[in-house]
Amino acid sequence: QVQLVESGGGLVQAGGSLRLSCAASGSISSANLLGWYRQAPGKQRELVAFITSGGRTNYADFVKGRFAISRDNAKNTVYLQMNTLKPEDTAVYLCLISWAYGNYWGQGTQVTVSS
């Protein structure tokens, strides 16, 4: 059973930055897709960004130019660098890693952006 552990969330002022990490207990080098989602209170979970096994990245329009997803296969970790944060970015951020044998979610990390 693969476990994913997110970290790096917290409270930050608008305009600030945070870097989220998602550490996997298994190797991510064989993962097909690694992604970050977020869910704000009373809202549906939404895709923020993903990176494929080939390194292709994709971002939701609302984070383009501000967030960057990356992966470190040696550390089995996927990152989300978040810059120029806005109050509307406040949410629980969760990582999803997809392998051929299944999809796994982390427990989430809270990001709160104050105005």
Side-chain angles (χ1 to χ4, degrees), residues 7-25:
S7 60
L11 174 64
V12 64
Q13 288 188 334
S17 298
L18 286 173
R19 189 177 80 154
L20 305 183
S21 300
C22 174
S25 61

Side-chain angles (χ1 to χ4, degrees), residues 38-115:
R38 71 185 188 186
Q39 188 164 19
K43 295 187 177 181
Q44 289 190 332
R45 188 172 295 184
E46 56 186 0
L47 176 66
V48 175
F50 69 79
I51 183 168
T52 68
S53 57
R56 181 174 64 88
T57 58
N58 188 275
Y59 297 92
D61 287 344
F62 51 78
V63 302
K64 281 183 180 176
R66 300 189 297 126
F67 291 11
I69 188 170
S70 61
R71 59 193 291 177
D72 185 334
N73 289 346
K75 295 183 178 179
N76 292 319
T77 301
V78 59
Y79 301 99
L80 185 68
Q81 177 67 44
M82 306 187 295
N83 300 324
T84 320
L85 283 160
K86 304 175 182 180
E88 50 264 44
D89 293 321
T90 294
V92 174
Y93 284 72
L94 308 100
C95 67
L96 167 69
I97 300 182
S98 176
W99 283 275
Y101 50 83
N103 300 326
Y104 293 85
W105 289 91
Q107 83 290 347
T109 185
Q110 176 70 45
V111 171
T112 303
V113 185
S114 63
S115 58

Side-chain angles (χ1 to χ4, degrees), residues 30-42:
S30 61
N32 297 318
L33 193 75
L34 303 92
W36 285 96
Y37 286 72
R38 71 185 188 186
Q39 188 164 19

